[in-house]
Amino acid sequence: MNRMLFTSESVTEGHPDKVCDQISDAVLDAIIAEDPNARVACETTVTTGMVMIMGEITTSEYVDIPGIARQVIKDIGYTGGLGFDGDTCSVLTAIDEQSCDIALGVDKALEAKEGKDETYNAVGAGDQGMMFGYACDETAELMPMPISLAHKMAKKLTDVRKNGTLPYLRPDGKTQVTVEYIDGKPARVDAVVVSSQHDENTSLETIRADVKKYVIDTIVPAELMDENTKIYVNPTGRFVVGGPQGDSGLTGRKIIVDTYGGYARHGGGAFSGKDPTKVDRSAAYAARYIAKNVVAAGLAKKCEVQIAYAIGVAKPVSVMVDTFGTGTVADDKIADAVNKVFDLRPAAIIEKLDLRKPIYRNLAAYGHVGREDLGVAWEKTDKVDELKELLK
């Protein structure tokens, strides 16, 4: 037997970096709701008592950026007495318009400049770079098991805090799951780590018992745990000071949490605060869409897709498919079929995945992929029949 341990982590919506991601995406949502063609690149940083929002935004509409930031912070749960308060923190903004040099390539792709005047050639890629998408058959949503369980536990930590089950919990928290694989398949959970901010009056014993009962035991299937499964709840013994008071935060610093928990490769680009002309975001969603349809079609047990672009050019410079030896047909044949079924020019992705809508704030915590709960288009498996037909 080939035995392997793999670990992934997630964080709650009150983690300082995730606070920033949610503010950036809430600003994007507010702008795109009024101006679907706006160009937005919005970054946020937080620390004790302060929020700073900066970036390049080109839009015909006005939105109250400080007001949006304060509302996000309060929605997360940072109100009076936690060392960081949405009503009293200072909010600084430093916003400029998108560079005219970048806009030259986004407004009109190279193909359109060369006279290839098709509808989807109207928008060039907003940057160069490579994006990855992944899917596997380990969970119902076709995600790797470690990150799937870690996300669900992080979301559960927030749920039991907000619904009053564990009212002494505070917004900041992290989860981590180690899965043991035997011959490439999940066999058991080897370790679970949960760290949650809490009030100073609740004992460690109470926190550990409650988190195991209401969070871990409700998410991790009992059949995957045994007497050798290690469980660590607040292993430092105290987590009272948290959120932006305990650590600074920054948009885009949790890209592995946002995707596949390290189980698949990552191109390096963050998502939050970016409008869909930025292929860091839209093409990463498209790559997940492709990979999920390949696995759902039974063409592979695992599938990773890479898409790469040149700035200002609509058509990708490359599309790669890797099934890690699990494909029912050769990877190059799957790649050929993918290129026929999926139009990966930015304008086509934006239209197919319906990305000019205010859908982004809800994605800014607990993962951008695998989110079947949000009904996002890139989690659909509506291309299965077309792929099967081409590869039969």
Side-chain angles (χ1 to χ4, degrees):
M1 291 191 301
N2 180 27
R3 177 178 176 271
M4 177 188 81
L5 297 177
F6 194 89
T7 302
S8 294
E9 72 156 350
S10 183
V11 298
T12 66
E13 61 195 54
H15 184 281
D17 295 329
K18 277 291 147 205
V19 172
C20 295
D21 286 342
Q22 289 166 92
I23 291 172
S24 293
D25 270 339
V27 170
L28 171 62
D29 277 354
I31 293 171
I32 211 167
E34 301 298 327
D35 180 8
N37 294 306
R39 301 287 164 73
V40 180
C42 178
E43 312 288 340
T44 304
T45 186
V46 296
T47 188
T48 304
M50 190 185 82
V51 180
M52 183 170 182
I53 303 163
M54 68 207 92
E56 295 77 46
I57 299 175
T58 301
T59 179
S60 59
E61 301 297 324
Y62 168 80
V63 298
D64 178 10
I65 292 177
I68 292 167
R70 293 185 188 281
Q71 189 60 55
V72 170
I73 292 164
K74 290 188 285 186
D75 288 347
I76 290 169
Y78 286 115
T79 53
L82 297 183
F84 185 74
D85 189 328
D87 285 316
T88 61
C89 65
S90 64
V91 181
L92 311 178
T93 60
I95 304 296
D96 204 347
E97 292 190 343
Q98 183 181 66
S99 161
C100 58
D101 292 347
I102 294 174
L104 282 173
V106 180
D107 292 341
K108 191 173 185 181
L110 178 66
E111 291 91 333
K113 294 173 183 176
E114 293 176 342
K116 301 171 184 175
D117 199 18
E118 297 179 38
T119 300
Y120 296 134
N121 287 334
V123 177
D127 203 351
Q128 69 175 47
M130 65 282 189
M131 300 83 214
F132 287 93
Y134 183 81
C136 62
D137 63 359
E138 294 178 13
T139 62
E141 67 272 26
L142 303 184
M143 286 285 287
M145 184 176 287
I147 190 64
S148 176
L149 292 176
H151 278 326
K152 289 173 182 175
M153 283 202 303
K155 182 66 166 61
K156 192 68 172 181
L157 264 182
T158 296
D159 290 343
V160 297
R161 170 175 63 88
K162 287 186 170 181
N163 68 23
T165 302
L166 303 181
Y168 57 80
L169 296 184
R170 297 296 180 256
D172 198 357
K174 303 178 89 171
T175 61
Q176 186 171 284
V177 177
T178 301
V179 173
E180 179 179 346
Y181 287 79
I182 296 177
D183 294 335
K185 296 180 180 180
R188 55 183 291 276
V189 170
D190 187 70
V192 176
V193 183
V194 179
S195 294
S196 181
Q197 185 186 11
H198 58 89
D199 69 26
E200 60 184 350
N201 299 316
T202 305
S203 71
L204 181 59
E205 291 74 18
T206 296
I207 295 168
R208 286 177 170 170
D210 284 350
V211 168
K212 184 176 186 303
K213 178 180 179 180
Y214 294 106
V215 178
I216 298 171
D217 290 348
T218 63
I219 297 299
V220 182
E223 62 271 19
L224 292 178
M225 300 177 71
D226 55 36
E227 67 276 7
N228 295 317
T229 299
K230 299 175 285 292
I231 296 177
Y232 302 97
V233 176
N234 283 19
T236 69
R238 177 181 167 89
F239 188 0
V240 173
V241 178
Q245 183 189 25
D247 195 5
S248 61
L250 181 66
T251 298
R253 206 155 58 180
K254 284 288 177 284
I255 58 176
I256 300 304
V257 171
D258 286 343
T259 52
Y260 307 98
Y263 201 90
R265 285 170 281 197
H266 195 293
F271 299 155
S272 291
K274 296 179 180 179
D275 76 78
T277 66
K278 279 75 169 175
V279 285
D280 277 344
R281 176 167 230 161
S282 53
Y285 294 165
R288 162 63 178 174
Y289 181 43
I290 295 167
K292 187 170 184 179
N293 274 270
V294 168
V295 174
L299 299 172
K301 293 182 177 296
K302 301 178 181 182
C303 180
E304 186 175 74
V305 175
Q306 184 201 56
I307 311 170
Y309 291 88
I311 187 169
V313 181
K315 189 175 180 181
V317 298
S318 69
V319 178
M320 180 276 294
V321 173
D322 187 352
T323 64
F324 307 94
T326 70
T328 59
V329 296
D331 289 352
D332 62 328
K333 294 187 181 300
I334 297 176
D336 288 343
V338 163
N339 280 306
K340 292 174 181 175
V341 172
F342 298 90
D343 189 335
L344 296 175
R345 291 173 292 178
I349 293 172
I350 290 168
E351 181 180 287
K352 177 61 182 177
L353 301 184
D354 206 11
L355 297 180
R356 293 200 190 276
K357 288 186 176 180
I359 59 173
Y360 298 107
R361 180 182 167 185
N362 287 336
L363 293 161
Y366 315 114
H368 290 249
V369 290
R371 298 300 301 276
E372 293 183 346
D373 57 313
L374 297 180
V376 290
W378 55 93
E379 293 299 320
K380 294 180 180 178
T381 53
D382 54 355
K383 296 295 185 180
V384 164
D385 291 341
E386 289 180 66
L387 289 170
K388 284 182 175 179
E389 181 64 25
L390 284 171
L391 291 166
K392 66 180 180 180

